[in-house]
Amino acid sequence: MHSVSIELDEITDLIEVSERAQTYLQANGQIEVTGYTNRRKFISVIFTITGQQLVVDDVNLPSYETIQDVILRRLAEETE
């Protein structure tokens, strides 16, 4: 088992810089942003927005399939 350190500024950067991430809306009202951080780590952040607050519910390393989906979507957007 390996551990990965994810800093708060990486989470903030991922949420704020949309050209390095893909956003997915989940049925329960949560928002998932998956992409690579300013330190070149692929992470997935799940959060909810309550009033004026953004509440981080979970931070994970995404699956290979999710990483592949993000990369393919980003490439498709760049070629349009």
Side-chain angles (χ1 to χ4, degrees), residues 24 34 42-43 61-72:
Y24 303 94
T34 301
F42 257 94
I43 63 172
L61 298 176
S63 68
Y64 174 79
E65 291 80 15
T66 302
I67 292 170
Q68 184 179 17
D69 180 62
V70 170
I71 292 171
L72 292 174

Side-chain angles (χ1 to χ4, degrees), residues 12-75:
T12 303
D13 181 70
L14 180 67
I15 292 171
E16 292 176 349
V17 183
S18 63
E19 58 267 0
R20 289 198 316 255
Q22 190 67 38
T23 302
Y24 303 94
L25 301 177
Q26 298 186 353
N28 59 3
Q30 292 178 314
I31 301 167
E32 178 180 355
V33 176
T34 301
Y36 61 93
T37 71
N38 53 354
R39 296 191 184 134
R40 302 288 189 213
K41 295 177 202 165
F42 257 94
I43 63 172
S44 180
V45 179
I46 298 174
F47 61 91
T48 53
I49 297 175
T50 307
Q52 296 294 319
Q53 291 185 326
L54 183 145
V55 179
V56 175
D57 298 311
D58 198 10
V59 177
N60 284 306
L61 298 176
S63 68
Y64 174 79
E65 291 80 15
T66 302
I67 292 170
Q68 184 179 17
D69 180 62
V70 170
I71 292 171
L72 292 174
R73 287 175 188 255
R74 300 309 314 165
L75 288 173

